[in-house]
Amino acid sequence: MPLIRKYYYEHGGRDYPKTTCTFPLQNYDHKAIGGTKGEGYFASGYDFFDGNKHGGHPAHDIFINDKNQDCLDDKTKKPVNVLSMTDGIVVAAASSWDTSSNLRGGKYIYIYQPSTNSFFYYAHNSEILVHLCDIVKPGQVIAQVGRSGLNAYKKRSPTHLHFMQLKLDSLGYPRPFNPYKDLLTTISK
């Protein structure tokens, strides 16, 4: 992590104030978060290192208006942009996925934010618009919402962004952190 942090600042990355945080779906707000008052989030049973075998759901599913499941907003008939909620650096991304894969997140992005020592995970995208080591700013378009991932592509699942935050603890272990309050106060672009 020290090398990633160093790279971030040496390549133009900077810490933005918390007030610049952006809601992760363009033209949507906290009302699109599944459940009532963030109840879809539960960290119990989750361990980052369990991979696809982990329990829990330490994330928020943020749904778009897409009744026919074509990955387009029903009103605008256009793809919905996924925005980086914070500043950071892209540390992992999968830009391809097919239905035979058992990968839960499908096309996903992990962004590391040095100032909070956090990883932000954006999953089930249709298109990834950033690359490994890209420096991102709050509100930057990083992907488009899609239906990729083991369960997300199935008809029973409404089109949504799976959004998670993991904070590194004092030993460097990634622990779930519930960003619900931050999501409520972010601006929608």
Side-chain angles (χ1 to χ4, degrees), residues 6-189:
K6 182 178 185 221
Y7 179 93
Y8 176 74
Y9 293 115
E10 286 179 350
H11 289 84
R14 68 180 187 94
D15 299 335
Y16 285 79
K18 193 171 184 175
T19 55
T20 62
C21 286
T22 303
F23 194 77
L25 289 183
Q26 191 169 33
N27 300 321
Y28 282 81
D29 61 23
H30 68 279
K31 295 179 207 121
I33 300 170
T36 304
K37 297 185 179 178
E39 70 185 16
Y41 180 100
F42 52 95
S44 180
Y46 179 83
D47 186 320
F48 176 81
F49 295 106
D50 286 345
N52 270 352
K53 296 179 182 178
H54 67 75
H57 187 267
H60 293 285
D61 290 335
I62 307 172
F63 298 92
I64 68 167
N65 300 315
D66 181 21
K67 289 194 188 300
N68 64 357
Q69 298 184 334
D70 63 357
C71 298
L72 302 177
D73 180 89
D74 290 340
K75 197 179 287 184
T76 66
K77 308 293 185 221
K78 294 180 180 178
V80 176
N81 288 328
V82 176
L83 308 175
S84 180
M85 185 172 162
T86 64
D87 55 274
I89 181 171
V90 177
V91 293
S95 59
S96 64
W97 180 84
D98 71 47
T99 57
S100 66
S101 171
N102 68 351
L103 189 62
R104 285 184 179 187
K107 297 178 183 180
Y108 67 85
I109 303 166
Y110 272 102
I111 294 175
Y112 174 67
Q113 184 186 37
S115 65
T116 62
N117 212 22
S118 294
F119 292 96
F120 292 87
Y121 178 66
Y122 304 80
H124 306 321
N125 302 290
S126 66
E127 188 175 352
I128 303 297
L129 304 172
V130 291
H131 301 91
L132 199 58
C133 297
D134 281 357
I135 306 294
V136 298
K137 299 175 184 175
Q140 180 176 332
V141 177
I142 58 172
Q144 291 179 337
V145 175
R147 302 183 56 75
S148 64
L150 181 61
N151 291 317
Y153 85 96
K154 296 176 182 175
K155 283 288 182 191
R156 66 176 169 76
S157 179
T159 308
H160 67 282
L161 172 69
H162 182 85
F163 179 74
M164 175 175 67
Q165 181 178 357
L166 299 170
K167 276 192 165 189
L168 296 178
D169 67 14
S170 61
L171 299 175
Y173 200 92
R175 303 280 182 197
F177 179 83
N178 190 345
Y180 184 71
K181 288 182 182 175
D182 291 339
L183 288 169
L184 291 178
T185 59
T186 56
I187 56 170
S188 178
K189 290 187 177 185

